[in-house]
Amino acid sequence: MQGGFLLLIASLCVGEGREITKSLSVQGGNWGTWGQVVYCPEGSFADGYKMKIEPPQGFRDDTSLNRVSLSCRDGTTLEASGDVAPHPHTKSFGTWGPMTSCQRGHFITSFALQVERPQGSDDDTAANFVKFTCRNITNGESYVMMQQPGAGYWGTYGPWSESCPLGSAVCGIQQKVEPYQSILGDDTELNNLKFYCCKHI
């Protein structure tokens, strides 16, 4: 009896009062540390994203993709409920691009990350671009949703992450960021991403 109870507790991960059905991860860059998970408001899920990207710097240090922000929408009323972006006050390079969204009433369920492998003594950039799949929370086929042109400056896409189970969608984001390396250092900033799926009640 006790073993079954503990197993039940272990299977119900909770984030800010919400039931987490799955965490989504891929192979990212080698540098940085994981920050805190930030969540959409209760009952809301991610239905779009934007990226903060630094364009090529010529002979200076490149960083490429540096931050990702999610737009949130209530899973029942479909009202917009704000944006979530980890590390909002940390120094970063580049500018925010436009928001790209799923079809109305659909939400993010998986992702793929474009990453440049380590360059040795040359300039590293790590994460360069991200794309997602969307679908209805409870049913339907998924489809790819990505900001144009669909790829960043360096690196290649790895495999897609697992997908949120039916009845859930992405509700939280966590970013692995390398801190500023000084004016003479080799900055990469964003190295990896994790997303968290929440159950739709």
Side-chain angles (χ1 to χ4, degrees):
M1 179 68 177
Q2 183 179 13
F5 176 77
L6 293 175
L7 181 61
L8 175 63
I9 295 298
S11 68
L12 296 177
C13 299
V14 176
E16 292 193 359
R18 306 184 67 178
E19 182 179 335
I20 307 301
T21 61
K22 187 182 287 290
S23 62
L24 309 179
S25 60
V26 297
Q27 182 67 45
N30 296 343
W31 301 281
T33 56
W34 288 102
Q36 291 185 332
V37 184
V38 293
Y39 293 93
C40 291
E42 186 172 356
S44 295
F45 302 88
D47 75 334
Y49 77 111
K50 62 182 178 180
M51 299 178 289
K52 189 175 188 180
I53 295 177
E54 181 186 51
Q57 299 296 295
F59 293 105
R60 294 184 297 170
D61 184 34
D62 290 302
T63 57
S64 196
L65 176 60
N66 292 323
R67 296 290 188 276
V68 174
S69 174
L70 298 178
S71 62
C72 302
R73 190 172 295 273
D74 189 278
T76 301
T77 67
L78 301 185
E79 293 293 323
S81 53
D83 299 347
V84 291
H87 307 282
H89 306 300
T90 306
K91 176 182 176 65
S92 64
F93 301 99
T95 56
W96 286 102
M99 188 70 71
T100 302
S101 300
C102 305
Q103 299 172 20
R104 183 169 174 80
H106 293 182
F107 297 91
I108 291 173
T109 53
S110 69
F111 79 106
L113 188 64
Q114 180 184 346
V115 179
E116 181 188 44
R117 62 178 178 80
Q119 298 297 295
S121 59
D122 291 332
D123 188 13
D124 293 297
T125 60
N128 270 250
F129 218 82
V130 63
K131 58 185 178 181
F132 296 90
T133 63
C134 305
R135 63 163 164 75
N136 184 282
I137 289 182
T138 57
N139 57 59
E141 296 293 323
S142 62
Y143 56 89
V144 176
M145 181 265 294
M146 61 185 176
Q147 189 178 118
Q148 295 303 313
Y153 301 108
W154 300 280
T156 57
Y157 277 107
W160 284 93
S161 72
E162 294 186 271
S163 184
C164 295
L166 287 175
S168 65
V170 165
C171 63
I173 178 175
Q174 187 177 23
Q175 301 187 102
K176 184 182 181 184
V177 174
E178 180 186 43
Y180 179 55
Q181 298 296 294
S182 85
I183 194 169
L184 298 178
D186 182 4
D187 289 291
T188 60
E189 293 217 28
L190 184 64
N191 273 249
N192 205 351
L193 294 161
K194 288 182 183 177
F195 295 93
Y196 296 83
C197 307
C198 285
K199 184 177 180 179
H200 183 243
I201 300 174

